[in-house]
Amino acid sequence: MNDSVRVRFAPSPTGALHIGGGHTALFNWLWARHTGGRFILRIEDTDRERSTKEYEETIMSGMRWLGLDWDEGPDAGGDHGPYRQSERLHLYHEYADRLVEEGKAYREGEAVIFRTPQGVRLAFDDMVYGHIEMMSDTLKDTVLLKSDGMPTYNYAVVIDDHTMGISHVIRGEDHISNTPKQLLVYDALGWEYPVFAHLPMILGKDKKKLSKRHGATSVYEYRDMGYMPDAVFNFLALLGWSAGENNEIFSRDEAAELFELTRVTRRAAVFDMEKLNFINQEHLKRLDPYTRLDLVEPFWREMGLPVDSHSREYLAQSLVVLAGRGQTAKEAAGYSDYFLTFETVKGRYDASDVSEEHKELLRRFYGELLAVPEWKASVLEDFTREWSARESVKMKDIAMPLRMGITGMKVSPGIFEVAEHLGREETRKRLAFFGFVNA
Ligand code: GLU
């Protein structure tokens, strides 16, 4: 372990873990894991009205879902606790008293107000945004403790970051404007600044700040839509950082190894759903069939498909036949329903596009096809090719009704692979239903 790097994610438990929060947590995690430092979770629950235990739980489970484990936190413990601001009030009071004694703050009723010195240059070197400075003159006196005894954000954050030994403050760029106010508190207490690294903003495709208007904003909504945590992780890591050219698909460990704070860009990052879909599909493809099955199965169940009527081997093999189709587990489930049931196929196809005359031809062909000695995709395909050449019919004219009849879809994986996997009898049954084989 590297003792010199200690980073924190400091969410306010006033909502679920949203994309921006997940992004910040992830970059802190990457830096901790890259350096062998520690990743700390601190709950900033001083807004007593809006903070709840339920939100704290959802944030934590959202982080776990993304694979962001923390070394210290309200549940994990650690030597720098407590890890909830509501349990650290004594510290905020202790330092406020000291500032009042030293004349750097004053009381106004129950509240404690910071006396902002004028003519002071407040400067820091941000690891992402570079040198930033301003004069204190534009800042007014600010509240440290409110009359209800609760600290304000810009005060508590300094007390906590210092007393928790935070080395790097990595957070959203919307906090750059707060940083000078925090520097004042560091200065007043005679404390050294941590290193600051602000992360670029995340924008929707229309270049406006990411919000509900752009679609799902909470991390869990992506889970429910069938995205893999590994893919959401991979996607978020690429918002403002790159692992190098031609290295877009990576695991958490690979990202942690390659991550560099100095390579985070200042340019706002655009949240592009198509990119997420692409990344998710790449991760799905890399899974072994049984792991993929674990992801797809809940969606088949949600669709009401008879999952339990099939063996795990059969279901996993169905996903092998499906190959890389479907950008999400949910989409893959939708594309493969015909492996589990014939009912949905019937609902999609009625064979009314096939003339009686053509049906006559199909019956002749499928009758022979269903009798091939070995029920194997390559055999079925060779047979079909030869038959169509011999009879001078287009291959697609006899293969398309097969596809529609057994899958109910215009697009599917190799239809002979599908037929092989369904089996000779199931294929016969389905074709017979549409009047494509002689009874
Ligand atoms: N609770 C603050 C927030 O959620 C923390 C900001 C910080 O990291 O300093 O925005």
Side-chain angles (χ1 to χ4, degrees):
M1 277 253 174
N2 171 346
D3 294 333
S4 60
V5 172
R6 291 176 57 83
V7 293
R8 85 308 191 271
F9 174 50
S12 302
T14 54
L17 181 64
H18 51 87
I19 291 295
H23 182 249
T24 300
L26 188 147
F27 277 61
N28 276 281
W29 182 92
L30 281 174
W31 187 237
R33 296 296 171 256
H34 176 74
T35 55
R38 288 172 83 77
F39 177 44
I40 293 136
L41 174 63
R42 180 173 75 226
I43 301 294
E44 304 215 324
D45 58 349
T46 52
D47 182 342
R48 303 309 289 156
E49 255 152 53
R50 291 171 57 228
S51 300
T52 69
K53 268 268 149 47
E54 286 72 38
Y55 282 137
E56 185 180 311
E57 260 314 311
T58 1
I59 290 171
M60 294 205 273
S61 62
M63 288 171 70
R64 284 187 204 105
W65 184 74
L66 280 173
L68 308 177
D69 55 327
W70 51 97
D71 308 302
E72 297 171 30
D75 57 332
D79 336 322
H80 294 72
Y83 293 92
R84 277 186 201 93
Q85 288 191 327
S86 60
E87 295 164 14
R88 301 173 64 82
L89 299 180
H90 57 285
L91 285 168
Y92 312 133
H93 284 261
E94 183 186 319
Y95 289 107
D97 289 347
R98 180 172 139 191
L99 290 170
V100 172
E101 265 164 45
E102 294 174 0
K104 293 171 179 160
Y106 54 93
R107 290 184 205 281
E108 219 171 69
E110 298 292 302
V112 176
I113 318 287
F114 185 73
R115 202 188 300 281
T116 298
Q118 298 301 293
V120 176
R121 187 214 305 261
L122 300 165
F124 65 102
D125 290 301
D126 191 280
M127 269 181 95
V128 177
Y129 286 82
H131 186 77
I132 296 178
E133 67 169 62
M134 69 177 284
M135 295 304 287
S136 64
D137 304 53
T138 51
L139 301 173
K140 301 201 181 73
D141 286 2
T142 53
V143 178
L144 300 179
L145 293 177
K146 293 179 275 185
S147 49
D148 64 359
M150 282 294 168
T152 53
Y153 158 69
N154 280 317
Y155 173 56
V157 74
V158 173
I159 304 301
D160 290 341
D161 286 340
H162 178 80
T163 56
M164 291 184 169
I166 299 302
S167 61
H168 296 71
V169 168
I170 304 171
R171 61 187 173 195
E173 123 347 328
D174 48 330
H175 286 292
I176 288 183
S177 60
N178 285 321
T179 309
K181 298 175 199 161
Q182 297 172 13
L183 298 185
L184 281 172
V185 180
Y186 281 102
D187 289 346
L189 289 164
W191 291 342
E192 258 182 55
Y193 304 159
V195 174
F196 292 97
H198 287 88
L199 304 173
M201 233 195 323
I202 304 174
L203 305 179
K205 264 205 135 165
D206 57 0
K207 302 283 159 78
K208 301 233 168 72
K209 196 173 177 338
L210 194 68
S211 76
K212 261 285 167 240
R213 282 179 302 115
H214 297 103
T217 50
S218 103
V219 167
Y220 268 165
E221 287 173 88
Y222 289 89
R223 176 197 61 182
D224 297 343
M225 288 188 278
Y227 289 95
M228 285 173 61
D230 309 54
V232 177
F233 177 101
N234 187 156
F235 173 71
L236 290 177
L238 288 174
L239 295 176
W241 176 69
S242 114
E245 232 174 290
N246 300 323
N247 190 10
E248 288 221 294
I249 308 297
F250 43 72
S251 67
R252 290 179 189 80
D253 289 347
E254 285 161 354
E257 196 182 314
L258 294 168
F259 185 72
E260 279 302 339
L261 260 181
T262 46
R263 296 213 11 244
V264 172
T265 61
R266 303 177 197 190
R267 209 175 341 105
V270 175
F271 188 97
D272 179 354
M273 276 305 269
E274 280 157 39
K275 180 94 181 244
L276 171 59
N277 289 336
F278 163 76
I279 292 174
N280 197 71
Q281 188 162 24
E282 291 305 312
H283 277 271
L284 266 179
K285 280 188 203 164
R286 285 165 170 71
L287 294 179
D288 71 273
Y290 286 91
T291 311
R292 196 151 11 129
L293 175 57
D294 289 338
L295 295 178
V296 173
E297 190 184 312
F299 294 102
W300 277 334
R301 288 192 193 280
E302 202 177 279
M303 292 161 68
L305 299 178
V307 174
D308 299 320
S309 324
H310 304 279
S311 68
R312 305 248 331 137
E313 290 70 30
Y314 174 85
L315 294 171
Q317 184 59 27
S318 303
L319 297 177
V320 173
V321 175
L322 188 70
R325 288 172 182 77
Q327 294 192 304
T328 63
K330 188 171 185 164
E331 207 170 78
Y335 286 171
S336 55
D337 60 353
Y338 51 82
F339 286 118
L340 285 82
T341 181
F342 182 39
E343 294 312 308
T344 53
V345 177
K346 290 184 200 164
R348 282 195 292 262
Y349 186 55
D350 61 11
S352 59
D353 58 330
V354 183
S355 66
E356 257 324 301
E357 196 191 336
H358 194 57
K359 271 191 187 165
E360 206 40 63
L361 176 89
L362 293 180
R363 280 196 278 267
R364 209 151 50 78
F365 167 61
Y366 293 148
E368 291 180 40
L369 184 77
L370 286 162
V372 292
E374 200 189 356
W375 192 254
K376 251 185 78 185
S378 58
V379 175
L380 295 171
E381 180 163 1
D382 289 347
F383 182 85
T384 306
R385 194 178 307 284
E386 282 155 25
W387 201 93
S388 65
R390 180 155 28 95
E391 300 284 328
S392 308
V393 296
K394 287 200 193 102
M395 182 129 160
K396 84 167 193 333
D397 289 342
I398 50 179
M400 198 60 182
L402 172 66
R403 185 187 305 280
M404 292 306 295
I406 63 180
T407 70
M409 292 183 179
K410 284 208 184 70
V411 189
S412 74
I415 198 57
F416 301 110
E417 276 79 20
V418 174
E420 174 185 330
H421 186 52
L422 283 173
R424 199 192 295 261
E425 283 323 305
E426 183 63 23
T427 303
R428 183 196 310 281
K429 189 187 100 187
R430 293 186 183 192
L431 292 176
F433 178 85
F434 294 113
F436 292 165
V437 292
N438 285 310

